[in-house]
Amino acid sequence: MTAAAPILSVERLSVEFLTDRGWATVVDDVSFDVARGETLGLVGESGSGKTVTSLAIMQLVPMPPGRFSGGRILFEGTDLVELPEKGLQRVRGNEIAMVFQESMTSLNPAFTIGDQIAEAVRVHRGIGRRPALDRAVEVLDLVGIPSPRERVHAYPHEFSGGMRQRAAIAMALACEPKLLIADEPTTALDVTVQAQVLTLLRELQQRFGMAMLFITHNLGVVADICDRVAVMYAGQIVEVAGVDALFQAPGHPYTEGLLQAMPQLGRRGEPLAVVPGVPPMPWAMPAGCRFHPRCAYAEPACTAGPPKLDTTRPGQASRCARSASITLRGSD
Amino acid sequence: MSSPANDSQRARSAGQRFLRRFLQQRLALGCLGFLVLLTLAAVFAPWVAPYDPLQQDLDRVLESPSRDHWFGTDELGRDVLSRTLFAARVSLLAAAQAVLIAIAIGVPPGLVAGLWGGRVDGLIMRATDALMSFPPLILAVALIAVLGPSLTNAMIAIGILLSPTFLRLMRATTMAVAQETYVEAARSIGCTQGWIIRKHVLPNVVSPLFVQISVFAGVAMLAEAGLSFLGLGAQPPDSSWGAMVGRGFRYLSLAPSLIVFPGLAIAITVLALYVVGDGLRDSLGREIRRES
Amino acid sequence: MPRFILQRLLALIPLLLIVSLLVFSLVLLIPGDPAYLLAGEDATPEEVAAIRTEMGLDEPVLVRYGKWLIAVVQGDLGTSLFSDQPVLDVILERLPVTLSLAVAAILIALTISIPAGIVSGTRAGTRIDRAVTVGSSIGLALPNFWLGLMLVLVLAIWNPWFPATGYTPLSESLADWWRHILLPAFTLGLSASAILTRQLRGAMIEVMQLDYVRTARAKGLPHRRVVAKHALKNAAIPMVTILGLQVNGLLGGTVIVEQIFGMPGIGQLAVASVFTRDLPMIQGVVIMAVFVAVLVNLVVDISYGYFNPKVRPR
Ligand SMILES: Nc1ncnc2c1ncn2[C@@H]1O[C@H](COP(=O)(O)OP(=O)(O)OP(=O)(O)O)[C@@H](O)[C@H]1O
Ligand code: SF4
Ligand SMILES: [Mg+2]
């Protein structure tokens, strides 16, 4: 386990969205730390609140329809929730950068790739157009774009999907952030490109000692790249553990389900529909343990009250009322 | 695949949903109410108006609004309020006329283009594009130049100018409907074009048509007012709001009320038509809006 | 690029042919014998015959159209029945007035609609947004001739800050041109600015929710820059289309605005020619107006490439 002071610590974060049926809590009392230089994986089914959590860290949750309903986000000791917009602008893209899930639409079609990378550098470093463009060439080269000097003048539509995702990563790396949030950076890509991008991220992370919050559906990828893992279900963290511990001895029945449903390494990550049943809607959360309608180990006690996230072993915590009395299977 | 009977039922209930949604829009309903009142006032102008609109009083010309004459008097001492009420008849009727002409000119070729497609469609669309490349008022002026200045001719000109939008609307709806499987099926079992139009195209096009009619009634009213202002529309002794402003032009500094009131009448009426149009558009369900 | 423009020009030929046919057909629409009508009510039979020969009314329609078209293409728009001057000369003399009026109106429309559209589109649902929306509805509903008269009344007669009528060419004095053109241009441009504001507002609302705007914010760019650079350039694409459509409306509107403000442009010429029954002049004005409108739309087409690199020709 990493003993160093966390660079990011999310404390009791809650985010709500206004829906047709009133305010729905989509991120509920979420807490976790990311240490310097560490990679934390954030895993969970579609709709579990991974993207909203990362947007909350960037303070980019759309409001309306969203709102914060509690919690702190401490980045190097500063609470980002309280930080005024000017201060946030200094943090975004500079100290914390984000690679978005939607690589096809997250680049602006009206400007060249180089321009979009360079503008972040210009804003944060206060340097001129030429040196900023040189920096763009540098990072494009870093992420493995061939002949970056020419490609820097290309428009997004002239790039393939994989190249665009690389460009988005380059854009995030341009200012050498201390924390990179990568939201399913490989889901939209085909298998070979996926593997390349992962390798690239791992290399870059080691080279720059950058901390990373890596969001994915795919536990296979987690094993590959993460130090620790937080598992989300229906807006809550249900388990946190070191990656080896999680794979060998999961502490939560949902994690076990995910491990059983794990796709083969290197194959394209499919949505984890293999855990039987569907996740609940934010406005209709089951009472007690939110997972109980789908849980093979459920007992009447599970609906009595919401279980707490309790430490089960050093470095491992699970939100299961029965964690002491059941033994779960890890991956083989 | 839904059966044809099923489908016309679906269309009818879509119409009902449309109506229900519209009835929830308060501002639009208010404006519709205003338009109804205005129409009634125009129809019953002889009973509503305080004076005979043609009755002159040369001792009291170009007066400002007063208790006797709420809107003042014109250069012949006629009551401006009464004249405004009577002019409403001309303005409303003219707008209706122009929209009807536009529908008559636009709808049939739109149907044909949508149903037949191919070369006929290409030709019709080319002609439509050409028509739309004219600056509208200049073309209207040219048409009036050859037909002679009169309100009817002005309305014909405006109707021609507005027709392409109706044409496009009909064509788009018809094409969308014609591609639906049930219509292809209906055609393959030998249903006539007339039947297809009545049962499938018309129910789908009615609601968007209402939106367009309402907005274009406003556009037509503005265009009529403009032409009448120039002396190319309503001819004396008939008078529309635009014609009133045109005559009042000469007395702009002496008696501004001569143009203020008819102008306001135009602006408010057109605004009401637009608001009703917006309300109708907002009442279109997603399912219809996509097609229009 | 030149090839792209050439392609566009070639694509215009069928359109212009249909337009010319329509303009030519105006003569055919005249009820009764056009020669009588054109010669005036108390013309002698000899005069009528002369007109008939001069206008070639004895020949078959297609021949007449052919001759007319060839002449038009060579720049011969005929002779005014009213002043006996060549139609083209009269029009060219007046065209600058109309063009400068239209250009000034477009500038005013953009000056109003860009800030208004940005402000209301980025603050949708707020009080200022509602104010802009209501304002644009009113701007659409106001008859432009009435607005013009009200402006003259308040800003030229009651407070003599602006001249009520007349026109000074730009070449003579920029200040005078501006003083003369401001009220008419505002009158002409208001409805266009209302339409453009609505359009830009809608586009801004849409664009501000897009992923790349979020990316731009995630880079730490200041809000102003996100709006003015990333959102605006994309929101401008549909606005350019609408602007192109508005040009026709603006040119048409000059008919009324020039009349109110006593400006010697082609709009005023068109109205005057209705009363003098000067058909060749009217045809000339229509042709010139379409020509200008088509050219402007071509420029609009080309400017797309700036806003949308995907359609940029290589
Ligand atoms: N802008 C929004 N408005 C309303 N609800 C939203 C919005 N964004 C997210 N949500 C809701 O918040 C919940 C969590 O969504 P989130 O995008 O964080 O899921 P996710 O874990 O990232 O899923 P995925 O794996 O599909 O990306 C979902 O129920 C979603 O419907
Ligand atoms: S609390 Fe009960 S239902 Fe919930 S995960 Fe544990 S065993 Fe399953
Ligand atoms: Mg997500």
PDB file of all heavy atoms in Angstrom, chain A residues 11-14 68-73 79 81-82:
ATOM      1  N   GLU A  11     -14.086  13.245  -0.106  1.00  0.00           N
ATOM      2  CA  GLU A  11     -14.685  12.926   1.195  1.00  0.00           C
ATOM      3  C   GLU A  11     -16.192  13.107   1.157  1.00  0.00           C
ATOM      4  O   GLU A  11     -16.678  14.211   0.986  1.00  0.00           O
ATOM      5  CB  GLU A  11     -14.096  13.844   2.277  1.00  0.00           C
ATOM      6  CG  GLU A  11     -12.614  13.607   2.508  1.00  0.00           C
ATOM      7  CD  GLU A  11     -12.042  14.572   3.548  1.00  0.00           C
ATOM      8  OE1 GLU A  11     -12.805  15.394   4.085  1.00  0.00           O
ATOM      9  OE2 GLU A  11     -10.828  14.475   3.793  1.00  0.00           O
ATOM     10  N   ARG A  12     -16.904  12.007   1.309  1.00  0.00           N
ATOM     11  CA  ARG A  12     -18.366  11.995   1.461  1.00  0.00           C
ATOM     12  C   ARG A  12     -19.077  12.801   0.371  1.00  0.00           C
ATOM     13  O   ARG A  12     -20.025  13.540   0.637  1.00  0.00           O
ATOM     14  CB  ARG A  12     -18.764  12.530   2.832  1.00  0.00           C
ATOM     15  CG  ARG A  12     -17.907  11.966   3.967  1.00  0.00           C
ATOM     16  CD  ARG A  12     -18.672  11.931   5.247  1.00  0.00           C
ATOM     17  NE  ARG A  12     -19.883  11.136   5.081  1.00  0.00           N
ATOM     18  CZ  ARG A  12     -20.726  10.870   6.085  1.00  0.00           C
ATOM     19  NH1 ARG A  12     -20.490  11.351   7.282  1.00  0.00           N
ATOM     20  NH2 ARG A  12     -21.785  10.137   5.867  1.00  0.00           N
ATOM     21  N   LEU A  13     -18.610  12.635  -0.850  1.00  0.00           N
ATOM     22  CA  LEU A  13     -19.167  13.402  -1.975  1.00  0.00           C
ATOM     23  C   LEU A  13     -20.551  12.891  -2.360  1.00  0.00           C
ATOM     24  O   LEU A  13     -20.755  11.681  -2.520  1.00  0.00           O
ATOM     25  CB  LEU A  13     -18.225  13.283  -3.178  1.00  0.00           C
ATOM     26  CG  LEU A  13     -18.721  13.892  -4.479  1.00  0.00           C
ATOM     27  CD1 LEU A  13     -18.682  15.402  -4.410  1.00  0.00           C
ATOM     28  CD2 LEU A  13     -17.891  13.394  -5.655  1.00  0.00           C
ATOM     29  N   SER A  14     -21.488  13.822  -2.515  1.00  0.00           N
ATOM     30  CA  SER A  14     -22.801  13.451  -3.035  1.00  0.00           C
ATOM     31  C   SER A  14     -23.200  14.435  -4.138  1.00  0.00           C
ATOM     32  O   SER A  14     -23.008  15.633  -4.003  1.00  0.00           O
ATOM     33  CB  SER A  14     -23.862  13.497  -1.937  1.00  0.00           C
ATOM     34  OG  SER A  14     -23.595  12.515  -0.961  1.00  0.00           O
ATOM     35  N   PHE A  68     -24.456  19.818  -6.107  1.00  0.00           N
ATOM     36  CA  PHE A  68     -23.734  19.138  -5.044  1.00  0.00           C
ATOM     37  C   PHE A  68     -24.628  19.071  -3.842  1.00  0.00           C
ATOM     38  O   PHE A  68     -25.280  20.046  -3.504  1.00  0.00           O
ATOM     39  CB  PHE A  68     -22.492  19.931  -4.654  1.00  0.00           C
ATOM     40  CG  PHE A  68     -21.361  19.715  -5.594  1.00  0.00           C
ATOM     41  CD1 PHE A  68     -21.129  20.601  -6.624  1.00  0.00           C
ATOM     42  CD2 PHE A  68     -20.528  18.620  -5.458  1.00  0.00           C
ATOM     43  CE1 PHE A  68     -20.099  20.400  -7.506  1.00  0.00           C
ATOM     44  CE2 PHE A  68     -19.495  18.422  -6.338  1.00  0.00           C
ATOM     45  CZ  PHE A  68     -19.272  19.305  -7.361  1.00  0.00           C
ATOM     46  N   SER A  69     -24.643  17.929  -3.181  1.00  0.00           N
ATOM     47  CA  SER A  69     -25.422  17.941  -1.961  1.00  0.00           C
ATOM     48  C   SER A  69     -24.559  17.606  -0.769  1.00  0.00           C
ATOM     49  O   SER A  69     -25.067  17.329   0.306  1.00  0.00           O
ATOM     50  CB  SER A  69     -26.612  17.005  -2.073  1.00  0.00           C
ATOM     51  OG  SER A  69     -26.196  15.762  -2.566  1.00  0.00           O
ATOM     52  N   GLY A  70     -23.249  17.641  -0.935  1.00  0.00           N
ATOM     53  CA  GLY A  70     -22.405  17.473   0.230  1.00  0.00           C
ATOM     54  C   GLY A  70     -21.038  16.936  -0.116  1.00  0.00           C
ATOM     55  O   GLY A  70     -20.825  16.392  -1.203  1.00  0.00           O
ATOM     56  N   GLY A  71     -20.107  17.115   0.779  1.00  0.00           N
ATOM     57  CA  GLY A  71     -18.800  16.519   0.628  1.00  0.00           C
ATOM     58  C   GLY A  71     -17.712  17.519   0.289  1.00  0.00           C
ATOM     59  O   GLY A  71     -17.983  18.679  -0.011  1.00  0.00           O
ATOM     60  N   ARG A  72     -16.478  17.041   0.379  1.00  0.00           N
ATOM     61  CA  ARG A  72     -15.322  17.872   0.053  1.00  0.00           C
ATOM     62  C   ARG A  72     -14.469  17.133  -0.963  1.00  0.00           C
ATOM     63  O   ARG A  72     -14.466  15.898  -1.022  1.00  0.00           O
ATOM     64  CB  ARG A  72     -14.482  18.131   1.300  1.00  0.00           C
ATOM     65  CG  ARG A  72     -15.263  18.803   2.413  1.00  0.00           C
ATOM     66  CD  ARG A  72     -14.316  19.472   3.390  1.00  0.00           C
ATOM     67  NE  ARG A  72     -13.444  18.513   4.067  1.00  0.00           N
ATOM     68  CZ  ARG A  72     -12.376  18.880   4.797  1.00  0.00           C
ATOM     69  NH1 ARG A  72     -12.062  20.158   4.908  1.00  0.00           N
ATOM     70  NH2 ARG A  72     -11.637  17.967   5.394  1.00  0.00           N
ATOM     71  N   ILE A  73     -13.751  17.898  -1.764  1.00  0.00           N
ATOM     72  CA  ILE A  73     -12.813  17.302  -2.706  1.00  0.00           C
ATOM     73  C   ILE A  73     -11.482  17.992  -2.463  1.00  0.00           C
ATOM     74  O   ILE A  73     -11.281  19.122  -2.916  1.00  0.00           O
ATOM     75  CB  ILE A  73     -13.282  17.491  -4.153  1.00  0.00           C
ATOM     76  CG1 ILE A  73     -14.597  16.744  -4.361  1.00  0.00           C
ATOM     77  CG2 ILE A  73     -12.236  16.975  -5.120  1.00  0.00           C
ATOM     78  CD1 ILE A  73     -15.303  17.118  -5.631  1.00  0.00           C
ATOM     79  N   ASP A  79      -9.858  22.550  -0.893  1.00  0.00           N
ATOM     80  CA  ASP A  79     -11.179  22.016  -1.219  1.00  0.00           C
ATOM     81  C   ASP A  79     -11.666  22.627  -2.533  1.00  0.00           C
ATOM     82  O   ASP A  79     -11.973  23.812  -2.616  1.00  0.00           O
ATOM     83  CB  ASP A  79     -12.158  22.344  -0.088  1.00  0.00           C
ATOM     84  CG  ASP A  79     -13.513  21.689  -0.334  1.00  0.00           C
ATOM     85  OD1 ASP A  79     -13.658  20.991  -1.364  1.00  0.00           O
ATOM     86  OD2 ASP A  79     -14.404  21.863   0.512  1.00  0.00           O
ATOM     87  N   VAL A  81     -14.416  22.199  -4.049  1.00  0.00           N
ATOM     88  CA  VAL A  81     -15.824  22.599  -4.024  1.00  0.00           C
ATOM     89  C   VAL A  81     -15.951  24.068  -3.629  1.00  0.00           C
ATOM     90  O   VAL A  81     -16.796  24.796  -4.133  1.00  0.00           O
ATOM     91  CB  VAL A  81     -16.623  21.708  -3.053  1.00  0.00           C
ATOM     92  CG1 VAL A  81     -18.083  22.142  -3.015  1.00  0.00           C
ATOM     93  CG2 VAL A  81     -16.525  20.253  -3.467  1.00  0.00           C
ATOM     94  N   GLU A  82     -15.053  24.491  -2.727  1.00  0.00           N
ATOM     95  CA  GLU A  82     -15.120  25.866  -2.231  1.00  0.00           C
ATOM     96  C   GLU A  82     -14.335  26.835  -3.106  1.00  0.00           C
ATOM     97  O   GLU A  82     -14.504  28.051  -3.009  1.00  0.00           O
ATOM     98  CB  GLU A  82     -14.546  25.941  -0.805  1.00  0.00           C
ATOM     99  CG  GLU A  82     -15.320  25.113   0.211  1.00  0.00           C
ATOM    100  CD  GLU A  82     -16.716  25.663   0.426  1.00  0.00           C
ATOM    101  OE1 GLU A  82     -16.872  26.904   0.395  1.00  0.00           O
ATOM    102  OE2 GLU A  82     -17.653  24.859   0.596  1.00  0.00           O
TER     103      GLU A  82
END
